[in-house]
Amino acid sequence: MAQQNIYDNNDFFNNFMDIREDNLNFNDIIETPIILSMMPDLKGKRILDLGCGMGQHAKQYVRMGASYVLGIDISEKMLSFARENNSAENIEYRRLPFERIEEINKKFDVVTSSLAFDYVEDFYMLIKRIHNLLNEGGTLVFSMSHPLSTAYDGTYDRYTRLENGERIYANLRNYNKEGIRKIKWVVDDYELYHRKISTLINSMVKSGFNIEECQESKVPEDISKKYPERFGGVMHQPDFIFFRCKKQSSKRFREV
Ligand SMILES: C[S@@+](CC[C@H](N)C(=O)[O-])C[C@H]1O[C@@H](n2cnc3c(N)ncnc32)[C@H](O)[C@@H]1O
């Protein structure tokens, strides 16, 4: 399976860090409050954080009572940041791509991932492998870019705007055409995978998960009114989608 490690590219990493240091970044304003609200009780739980990046979520899960967190990521730069800034004695950071998580010889109560599954080519295979790593009754909670957003292929304007710049429609093309998208984001040739909502749902259901909750990104009204240029699009098109699902079956899936 193809793997991309753009976070170890110097330009990308530096630009990404600038975005994250901005107080109004989408991760802190939109993603983190929603995913934390969807977490089960983490007290005494063993957590696996896939694509842990800078480790701030791992640290938060320890604050919420997790007994152990394993954060994995493909990027050495992200992991170095995590080790320097978000360490704890019960957090372990390991360099490993999602495509090889079957090598982890541990079981977890909760597997989570924030905005990292956009980079996985074979989503169904990933979800099946996560199912195998969970204890019976364990929970998967994740966020990723919303399919209405990942459909964008860079060849048209994302929004139709009034002359004053106000966004009045989100534009959509080729939603039904799944696969890789190369767009300009942080760098010119950023790559991610677009999948339909039905593909996400069916991958969880076929793997033996029971979907308990789905959320789509939203912004508190006072914030979107105060910063219309930054958050004005969220009303028309959610940037992120979130799922919480529970492992239902002990059946082990064999690789084909
Ligand atoms: C948008 S960042 C999110 C980081 C972190 N979860 C957060 O919310 O701040 C995506 C992360 O996924 C990681 N990633 C991308 N492809 C990966 C792969 N194949 N295996 C493991 N990690 C990957 C990147 O290195 C990056 O740290």
Side-chain angles (χ1 to χ4, degrees), residues 44-50 67-72 90 92 94 96 101 103-112 129-140 247:
K45 300 280 169 56
R46 295 169 56 80
I47 319 288
L48 173 61
D49 184 0
L50 301 172
S67 59
Y68 169 73
V69 182
L70 173 61
I72 68 151
N90 50 353
E92 196 183 331
R94 181 170 162 195
L96 189 74
I101 53 170
E103 292 174 21
I104 300 172
N105 56 358
K106 293 180 170 121
K107 290 273 186 183
F108 299 88
D109 305 303
V110 178
V111 176
T112 183
R129 288 176 174 167
I130 290 171
H131 191 272
N132 284 342
L133 286 173
L134 276 168
N135 289 321
E136 209 60 31
T139 304
L140 166 63
K247 176 169 177 162

Side-chain angles (χ1 to χ4, degrees), residues 150-203:
T150 57
Y152 179 68
D153 63 8
T155 62
Y156 55 97
D157 290 336
R158 275 186 190 262
Y159 295 97
T160 302
R161 292 174 184 257
L162 295 176
E163 267 177 23
N164 67 6
E166 184 191 340
R167 284 167 270 213
I168 53 170
Y169 304 115
N171 298 320
L172 182 65
R173 192 158 76 192
N174 284 332
Y175 175 82
N176 274 328
K177 192 174 163 198
E178 296 191 307
I180 198 155
R181 297 287 194 270
K182 292 184 192 197
I183 60 165
K184 191 171 172 175
W185 184 70
V186 184
V187 289
D188 284 345
D189 47 0
Y190 177 75
E191 292 182 0
L192 75 160
Y193 290 92
H194 165 63
R195 288 167 269 258
K196 296 184 288 182
I197 294 178
S198 53
T199 301
L200 304 182
I201 291 174
N202 291 332
S203 299

Side-chain angles (χ1 to χ4, degrees), residues 11 70 75 81 85 88 106 121 129 137 142 154 159 168 199 204:
D11 289 342
L70 173 61
S75 160
F81 185 98
N85 297 282
K106 293 180 170 121
E121 186 180 11
R129 288 176 174 167
F142 67 94
Y159 295 97
I168 53 170
T199 301
M204 289 177 261

